[in-house]
Amino acid sequence: MATSTPPVSCGEATTATGLPEIADPGKVAPRDARELSKSFFDRLRVLEEGTPEYQYARNTLIEMNQSLVRFAAGRFRSRGSGEMEDVLQVGTIGLIKAIDRFDLTREVEFASFAVPYIVGEIKRFFRDTSWAVHVPRRLQELRVELAKAKELLATRLDRDPTVKELAELLDLPEDDVVEGLVATNGYTAGSLDMPAGDESHARGSTRTFADVVGEDDPAMEKVENLHALAPLLEQLDERERRIVRMRFGGEMTQSQIGAELGVSQMHVSRLLSRILTRLRDGILVDG
């Protein structure tokens, strides 16, 4: 018995697969997309995967059902419009997974089947990318539990709860609660260009966190000097390098070095002075 073809809003031509030829699937109205999807899914399950006909049916389903992605993504609009393009792309991945796993014989509307896949993919995206500093998944999940517990206890106690109270409510060791609270700081990151404190901002001060947080590491200059010394040491002859190793690597005295080399302590002193002057001059030239 012949089956009727659902109405197509953009033309009645059909492809070699017997499916409607849709010039711009993305412009198909959601109501028409629901009806057309049934025909495309019906053909998709009998077409050979990888063939042009299969790809046409699958790609058309993806484009026709983008309205489901936009609907699901709308739930997350409050997270920030700057990420909406990424959210739509991630939601499309969920849509594709739903298309590949959908079975018409289940007698379930595709929209009802697909939306949980799309939403799940978007939630996974936020869970994995919203943290400014990467922390283990266990601590990411603990952050959510801690937030709920803090809100509950704050309402009940009319004050911020202590670590001990949070631990008792969640039935967790206090160390785990502390670890979770510390990890929460990695959820967002502030700019070093932000004003350094409310009082500073109120006074109109231009001091930022970059001005008051952190300082030069004194060890950095040592690292730079050691890096610059490496090629200069290579320019010394074997005897000079040996003297440097004994004096600064082996921490030998000048007398001990003289005894090792068979020369006087005074001669070792002159040799060291000449070597160090050469190295120092080399660093200053490189700087």
Side-chain angles (χ1 to χ4, degrees), residues 12-75:
E12 293 293 342
T14 59
T15 66
T17 64
L19 291 170
E21 183 177 354
I22 304 177
D24 193 347
K27 292 183 178 180
V28 176
R31 180 178 298 177
D32 290 339
R34 284 197 297 272
E35 293 302 316
L36 284 167
S37 292
K38 296 176 183 177
S39 298
F40 274 79
F41 275 118
D42 191 44
R43 293 295 299 153
L44 192 66
R45 74 181 167 178
V46 297
L47 291 171
E48 183 179 352
E49 187 173 349
T51 61
E53 294 80 8
Y54 180 93
Q55 289 302 118
Y56 168 74
R58 184 172 181 266
N59 291 341
T60 302
L61 280 167
I62 294 170
E63 294 182 53
M64 279 197 307
N65 288 283
Q66 283 296 310
S67 60
L68 296 176
V69 177
R70 291 190 293 271
F71 168 75
R75 302 184 185 183

Side-chain angles (χ1 to χ4, degrees), residues 153-171:
L153 288 175
T155 302
R156 182 185 302 171
L157 303 171
D158 197 26
R159 61 173 172 78
D160 288 337
T162 64
V163 170
K164 182 178 180 180
E165 290 166 341
L166 288 169
E168 290 176 352
L169 180 63
L170 296 174
D171 193 23

